[in-house]
Amino acid sequence: MIRYIWPETNPCESFYDTLYDRLVEQGTVHIDDDPVLYKGEFDTPTGRLEIYDEDAPTEDGDDIDGEVSLEVPDPIESRTDDDGDYRDEYPLMFMQKHSKWRIHSQYEYQPWVREINEQPQLDINPKTAKRRGIEDGDYVRVFNDRGQMIVRAKYNDAIRPEIVNTDQGWWERDYIKGHHNNLTHMDICNATGNFAFYDTAVEVEPAPEDLDTSKYTESNPRGSTPDSAGGE
Amino acid sequence: MTNYGLVIDQERCIGCQTCAMTCKQENNVPMGQFWNRVLTVGGEHVDTPSGTYPEDGESGDLDMNYQPTACQHCENAPCVKVCPVNATYTRDDGIVEIDYDKCMGCRYCMAACPYNARVFNWDEPEHRPEDGTGDVAERPQGVVEKCTFCSHRVEDGLDPACVVNCPADARIFGDLDDDDSTVSKYISEYNTEQLLNEKGTDPSTYYVQGKMTPGRPWTSDKLETELGDDEAAQATRRRNGAPTSEHGPTPHVPAETAGGDD
């Protein structure tokens, strides 16, 4: 295993052999090596890392030289869709932002945190929700061609009307039905060459009325709500 | 005299709820209860703003702030006045505390407190983990409980848990009667407000608003109890505001502690 520590900077075979022998002998090894792997200039106008770039490639698929826009981009899937009506059918972009309550899915099982951050929710702009007959706190069905999840709607004026969000890191057992990753895809984003989980098209509707939500209405042994913590 | 007080810099507060969590852990606070809460000032829910999202070139009016709120340890505490059995009392060091043996659960204090700082054990307390946490004994069913400024820590020369563990360094604890203490300096140097000042409760908790302060000094990974025993040097550093001690964070409680003597 030790052979894979610095495979690019120290390709010499004997180096690893020596290192391995020392590790076995001493238990720990100090590697006297410069950890800075990249010392050249970046391919930017300043040669430095630039956090914000007006001329950066947009997420607009083929239109990679297009101008930066504050419009919500077309989801990848509407660009690759054969008949081009995916966007009409699923007009909302679905994010799964990282929250302060989690490191990915860790701490989902932390009962103190769950008193404040009780269950997965859908951050939704009140305008978007009302157009769909969704009241604050209603359970809603979020769906697309791939799957669905049922979560509680949380009116949030900080979120754009074209976007909805459920924090990532919830486990399947936390959902009334489904899971946020039932909705996401594995398409690759042109601009970053990585997964584009936020680039997901969905529609939202009120959840069926006969829904069993008892896991969140009856499970608290104290009969108390997150209100006690200043949460919702 | 010692008169403990707390400064909370609302310009530094990031709403992370660490104070709420660490309080729960340190003080063995039962499930369903919080002594220390971070309220959202803005929308209806935690972490939501008031106003509407700017569209079509509007400038927008979204606004959100965090309001960390626990017992304010008022100098003129209404809870102390209304308690019919003297269970709630003000210690000589200014900390408002409850004698759980005397408390009979009438909850007058909860009605009198304008800060909603108190909670009542309606049921047998439940803990996670079940054996409880921290260094404070569980309070029985039928009594009111609340923040004690971590008096058990203060008596050992340690700052309250919420102060030590605030990752934004937004909380400063110390002696309001000592003009040279960090809390006193903060109150004199920065714009501080007391919550619901018009009620005449004179809280010992002050909120910095407007201009962000440098924050609580934290310059070492040493625990306060591991600091050097050169008291004179520490006292000098404390007088100097103590932000750059190379020996670690300076405890803001005086070396000689004034415990509860009721």
Side-chain angles (χ1 to χ4, degrees):
Chain A
M1 212 156 71
I2 189 72
R3 291 167 193 280
Y4 296 98
I5 290 185
W6 304 108
E8 288 173 19
T9 51
N10 293 295
C12 168
E13 189 72 21
S14 63
F15 173 84
Y16 294 120
D17 290 341
T18 314
L19 194 62
Y20 184 77
D21 291 342
R22 279 167 56 207
L23 184 67
V24 170
E25 188 185 339
Q26 298 169 202
T28 58
V29 173
H30 172 75
I31 299 174
D32 194 16
D33 189 43
D34 189 344
V36 181
L37 298 181
Y38 188 82
K39 292 175 179 170
E41 289 189 4
F42 288 104
D43 186 19
T44 61
T46 61
R48 296 179 169 189
L49 183 69
E50 294 185 3
I51 304 295
Y52 178 74
D53 181 5
E54 286 280 352
D55 301 319
T58 71
E59 300 275 344
D60 265 347
D62 297 334
D63 185 22
I64 205 143
D65 296 321
E67 288 180 10
V68 171
S69 161
L70 294 177
E71 296 298 310
V72 175
D74 270 353
I76 285 178
E77 43 206 352
S78 75
R79 293 173 223 146
T80 55
D81 185 28
D82 286 341
D83 48 18
D85 61 0
Y86 203 79
R87 184 84 202 264
D88 298 333
E89 218 170 321
Y90 305 111
L92 299 170
M93 279 196 92
F94 175 52
M95 285 174 44
Q96 314 91 44
K97 79 171 171 64
H98 292 229
S99 78
K100 61 189 170 193
W101 314 107
R102 298 271 193 289
I103 299 170
H104 299 299
S105 59
Q106 292 177 59
Y107 309 124
E108 177 267 2
Y109 39 80
Q110 224 303 339
W112 303 342
V113 174
R114 290 293 290 276
E115 285 195 300
I116 305 178
N117 184 223
E118 185 189 32
Q119 56 182 302
Q121 301 181 99
L122 187 77
D123 288 295
I124 186 167
N125 190 289
K127 282 183 190 171
T128 311
K130 284 172 187 160
R131 238 177 267 138
R132 290 162 173 77
I134 295 163
E135 294 291 323
D136 196 9
D138 282 357
Y139 281 95
V140 295
R141 190 171 89 93
V142 186
F143 62 99
N144 59 20
D145 280 359
R146 286 178 292 274
Q148 64 165 353
M149 65 171 185
I150 290 180
V151 292
R152 219 169 154 212
K154 174 185 179 182
Y155 276 20
N156 188 348
D157 274 290
I159 195 155
R160 287 183 74 132
E162 308 93 330
I163 291 176
V164 289
N165 169 74
T166 292
D167 293 346
Q168 55 99 280
W170 292 100
W171 298 11
E172 194 162 11
R173 67 183 183 188
D174 302 322
Y175 287 91
I176 301 292
K177 259 183 191 167
H179 189 273
H180 59 267
N181 277 335
N182 293 358
L183 299 158
T184 54
H185 54 73
M186 293 180 71
D187 287 357
I188 300 294
C189 159
N190 282 359
T192 64
N194 206 335
F195 294 116
F197 290 131
Y198 290 5
D199 196 334
T200 294
V202 297
E203 178 56 300
V204 182
E205 67 179 19
E209 282 187 12
D210 57 350
L211 203 63
D212 177 15
T213 61
S214 57
K215 77 162 79 172
Y216 289 119
T217 48
E218 292 172 7
S219 66
N220 191 324
R222 312 300 308 158
S224 63
T225 70
D227 284 337
S228 50
E232 65 265 50
Chain B
M1 285 290 276
T2 305
N3 184 22
Y4 288 120
L6 179 68
V7 168
I8 301 176
D9 185 346
Q10 282 182 276
E11 306 299 328
R12 295 190 72 86
C13 176
I14 54 173
C16 66
Q17 308 272 357
T18 303
C19 51
M21 292 297 139
T22 194
C23 170
K24 197 151 177 144
Q25 180 174 36
E26 177 65 33
N27 291 293
N28 204 8
V29 178
M31 296 303 288
Q33 311 280 44
F34 279 86
W35 286 5
N36 203 346
R37 298 165 297 151
V38 182
L39 308 172
T40 300
V41 182
E44 291 289 310
H45 305 295
V46 66
D47 302 334
T48 61
S50 61
T52 55
Y53 194 92
E55 288 182 279
D56 305 325
E58 297 166 13
S59 59
D61 57 353
L62 294 175
D63 193 45
M64 186 178 87
N65 275 299
Y66 289 114
Q67 176 63 53
T69 307
C71 175
Q72 306 285 302
H73 295 275
C74 310
E75 303 229 5
N76 185 25
C79 54
V80 173
K81 287 184 177 172
V82 299
C83 180
V85 293
N86 293 329
T88 291
Y89 61 100
T90 306
R91 298 167 23 144
D92 284 347
D93 59 7
I95 296 177
V96 176
E97 217 163 64
I98 301 167
D99 183 335
Y100 301 113
D101 289 334
K102 288 184 183 172
C103 177
M104 59 179 193
C106 71
R107 308 188 303 285
Y108 281 10
C109 53
M110 293 179 72
C113 174
Y115 307 103
N116 194 21
R118 292 166 163 259
V119 295
F120 181 62
N121 288 339
W122 288 97
D123 301 304
E124 199 64 41
E126 275 187 33
H127 299 273
R128 299 285 186 279
E130 285 178 13
D131 291 342
T133 56
D135 295 324
V136 184
E138 173 186 275
R139 281 73 55 188
Q141 180 181 13
V143 303
V144 170
E145 53 179 80
K146 67 161 191 72
C147 158
T148 64
F149 266 167
C150 279
S151 57
H152 61 292
R153 286 177 58 88
V154 173
E155 286 160 11
D156 282 347
L158 303 172
D159 284 333
C162 60
V163 172
V164 174
N165 290 321
C166 174
D169 290 348
R171 304 170 84 98
I172 300 101
F173 183 78
D175 182 7
L176 298 172
D177 280 357
D178 176 4
D179 289 342
D180 290 331
S181 72
T182 313
V183 268
S184 296
K185 284 180 177 174
Y186 268 67
I187 291 166
S188 62
E189 281 178 33
Y190 296 96
N191 179 37
T192 53
E193 304 282 344
Q194 290 161 296
L195 216 51
L196 302 179
N197 199 21
E198 68 278 10
K199 303 276 187 194
T201 50
D202 195 9
S204 295
T205 303
Y206 292 78
Y207 292 90
V208 174
Q209 292 166 355
K211 183 186 172 193
M212 187 189 286
T213 73
R216 180 182 184 275
W218 186 265
T219 55
S220 161
D221 56 0
K222 281 185 180 160
L223 296 171
E224 286 153 310
T225 48
E226 295 170 342
L227 297 172
D229 51 10
D230 186 351
E231 290 291 340
Q234 286 201 39
T236 305
R237 285 198 299 276
R238 197 151 53 228
R239 272 198 300 281
N240 293 337
T244 55
S245 162
E246 60 183 48
H247 301 291
T250 305
H252 295 169
V253 294
E256 67 288 352
T257 56
D261 54 1
D262 183 67

